[in-house]
Amino acid sequence: MKAVVVVGAQWGDEGKGKVVDYLAASFDYIARCQGGHNAGHTVMWNGKRFVLQLVPSGILRPGKIAVIGPGVVFDPHAFLAEIDALAKAEIDVKGRLFVSNRAHLIFPYHRQLDQASEANRAGGKIGTTSRGIGPSYEDKMGRRGLRVADLLDAETFRAKLEPLVREKSIISEAAFGQPIDSTGLVDSYLQMAKRIRPFVVDTAELLWRAADEGRSMLFEGAQGTMLDIDHGTYPYVTSSSATAGGASTGLGFPPTGISDVIGVTKAYTTRVGNGPFPSEMPELEAGEVRNRGVEFGAVTGRPRRCGWLDLVMLRYALRLNGINSLVVTKLDVFDTQREIQVATGYLYKGSPIHEMPAEAEVLAQIKPEYRAIPGWCSSTSGIDRLEALPQAARDYLRFVSDHLHVEIGMISTGPEREATIVPPGTRLAALIS
């Protein structure tokens, strides 16, 4: 039995959707451990573009089992829209998709509170997607949230939700001058419950049984390491554990059962929303990379901020997650770049700093030390063999690998499944053989 975690090693948007879709061919179960429908995993398959927000991207592989774990915050509207879109694309999810009965629910008032709170921050905006993710996690940690299991019993659900909505309305009106509109809320959720019920199980028990049977499992999260609630660039972070440790808590799967952690990074760095970004490019260069890499949010359409590859941040992510194989995506975006900068160290007030600062204010003042590496100025798009890459591209990858003391187990040269290189002899190659 093998259980492998795929984790973003930057600020999210690293291309985990394609990576999970590619790896899913070699695993029986693919399980999502945290986040909500604010994260879009983009996958190209059969010439079609799929943006999956809640459903693990492994669902696109026939015969694979997809699991949404208890660490995910679950929006019934988003879920049903997603399975309807999959059905329209003739992808059958019956008997292959399961939702945890312990996953916490997102309600319309979570979105309303999210939007009001963000608007109230004025100059200190976090950059939230305003989809209710943070407020739902707040209710979870405040022990007042409702879970999928509550949704399945109409009497219990009504009894729990109605006083909670009244409380939220009082808070919202006092804090933001906006009462909560709950017209038809209970009935609409109970109607959705009828369609959701067949998917609901105890997913931890499901995974334990699978492990006992020797089944292989691939665990995926949303966002990335630097958006982790504990270890990221707080407060410009998400509201859940986006590191590898979140796979255990978010799925109810023991950490001793996890064999490998695969980290995903772009050949450069991006982030969405506000917050410090040490290796951010000037807008002229960032705009070129953004256009070549189509760096716009899969869910929101927001343009992503672009920067050079930051090896200090990646080293931090490697240590936090225990990453033993690194995937580099979007290598082809640098095909026209004559010279590539790589951040290899940090200076704070003129002196080297060897730890990731805890304070966002300090990180905002960091000046990276850069190493210039020659570009290859030739096409790598669609290449699927390491030896077919230009020598300068291989040198770039080798520099990253040597600096971080980690193997590069996969290289993505385009959005299609086939545009993927898995160097023979790597740990990752052995995992999927």
Side-chain angles (χ1 to χ4, degrees):
M1 191 275 294
K2 58 184 176 183
V4 176
V5 179
V6 175
V7 65
Q10 299 174 312
W11 276 288
D13 306 310
E14 300 95 347
K16 296 184 294 297
K18 177 197 168 172
V19 173
V20 170
D21 170 69
Y22 186 91
L23 295 175
S26 302
F27 291 82
D28 301 312
Y29 286 69
I30 299 87
R32 169 83 178 272
C33 63
Q34 49 81 219
H37 68 302
N38 58 334
H41 289 178
T42 305
V43 178
M44 293 295 295
W45 179 58
N46 278 355
K48 298 178 181 178
R49 180 176 181 264
F50 294 86
V51 179
L52 298 168
Q53 299 174 37
L54 278 172
V55 179
S57 46
I59 198 69
L60 300 179
R61 294 280 187 176
K64 305 301 179 180
I65 306 298
V67 176
I68 297 173
V72 174
V73 284
F74 183 81
D75 187 318
H77 288 280
F79 175 75
L80 293 176
E82 201 162 327
I83 63 171
D84 286 344
L86 289 168
K88 190 175 181 180
E90 299 183 343
I91 295 170
D92 184 17
V93 301
K94 187 177 180 181
R96 297 201 301 123
L97 177 59
F98 299 97
V99 177
S100 172
N101 52 9
R102 289 178 169 83
H104 277 252
L105 295 167
I106 295 176
F107 292 98
Y109 59 73
H110 287 130
R111 292 191 290 274
Q112 186 174 338
L113 290 168
D114 204 356
Q115 293 162 4
S117 177
E118 184 75 347
N120 199 50
R121 289 179 183 272
K125 295 183 187 299
I126 299 296
T128 172
T129 59
S130 297
R131 298 199 168 211
I133 309 300
S136 180
Y137 275 116
E138 286 179 36
D139 280 353
K140 174 181 178 177
M141 293 305 178
R143 296 168 294 179
R144 56 183 173 268
L146 296 186
R147 304 190 293 180
V148 171
D150 297 314
L151 186 59
L152 303 184
D153 184 288
E155 187 176 336
T156 299
F157 181 70
R158 191 180 298 275
K160 289 184 176 182
L161 183 59
E162 288 178 346
L164 186 56
V165 171
R166 287 195 294 271
E167 177 187 317
K168 292 292 183 185
S169 190
I170 293 169
I171 293 170
S172 180
E173 190 160 17
F176 309 117
Q178 301 175 18
I180 297 294
D181 181 9
S182 60
T183 306
L185 178 60
V186 173
D187 290 337
S188 69
Y189 267 65
L190 289 177
Q191 280 296 114
M192 289 188 288
K194 295 175 183 177
R195 292 188 61 196
I196 293 168
R197 183 182 296 275
F199 299 96
V200 179
V201 299
D202 183 333
T203 55
E205 186 70 38
L206 180 74
L207 293 175
W208 298 339
R209 287 200 304 269
D212 291 342
E213 294 168 2
R215 304 286 186 174
S216 56
M217 285 168 277
L218 187 65
F219 301 150
E220 64 164 336
Q223 291 89 31
T225 296
M226 299 308 295
L227 291 175
D228 183 87
I229 186 67
D230 294 305
H231 304 288
T233 50
Y234 191 89
Y236 303 97
V237 293
T238 193
S239 300
S240 57
S241 297
T243 51
S248 288
T249 55
L251 290 169
F253 196 83
T256 50
I258 294 171
S259 59
D260 292 87
V261 179
I262 298 170
V264 186
T265 174
K266 287 174 181 167
Y268 48 98
T269 309
T270 63
R271 81 167 299 172
V272 173
N274 297 331
F277 188 176
S279 67
E280 188 166 15
M281 298 171 176
E283 181 51 35
L284 182 63
E285 290 175 297
E288 293 176 358
V289 170
R290 185 180 302 118
N291 290 330
R292 291 200 301 266
V294 195
E295 293 296 351
F296 300 90
V299 173
T300 64
R302 291 187 296 179
R304 297 176 185 138
R305 298 159 63 190
C306 297
W308 301 110
L309 191 65
D310 187 335
L311 297 186
V312 181
M313 184 177 71
L314 282 180
R315 186 186 303 114
Y316 178 71
L318 260 64
R319 296 300 299 272
L320 272 177
N321 294 293
I323 292 169
N324 49 23
S325 189
L326 192 64
V327 177
V328 177
T329 65
K330 295 203 170 184
L331 184 71
D332 54 306
V333 173
F334 273 159
D335 284 353
T336 59
Q337 199 78 33
R338 293 187 176 276
E339 185 176 81
I340 300 168
Q341 302 292 330
V342 181
T344 58
Y346 282 174
L347 296 176
Y348 176 60
K349 295 184 177 180
S351 299
I353 182 171
H354 302 292
E355 297 177 353
M356 186 61 65
E359 307 94 328
E361 296 81 5
V362 173
L363 192 60
Q365 298 178 58
I366 290 292
K367 301 296 182 187
E369 296 180 295
Y370 287 109
R371 168 79 174 266
I373 297 176
W376 41 93
C377 294
S378 60
S379 177
T380 64
S381 180
I383 288 177
D384 60 2
R385 294 177 297 112
L386 186 64
E387 59 271 21
L389 287 177
Q391 184 61 50
R394 282 180 277 164
D395 290 343
Y396 178 69
L397 294 168
R398 186 175 300 110
F399 177 80
V400 173
S401 176
D402 290 348
H403 191 91
L404 297 175
H405 304 291
V406 67
E407 72 168 31
I408 293 181
M410 182 186 290
I411 304 120
S412 175
T413 58
E416 299 81 13
R417 285 177 180 171
E418 298 75 20
T420 305
I421 301 168
V422 180
T426 59
R427 187 179 184 94
L428 194 152
L431 280 173
I432 63 176
S433 61

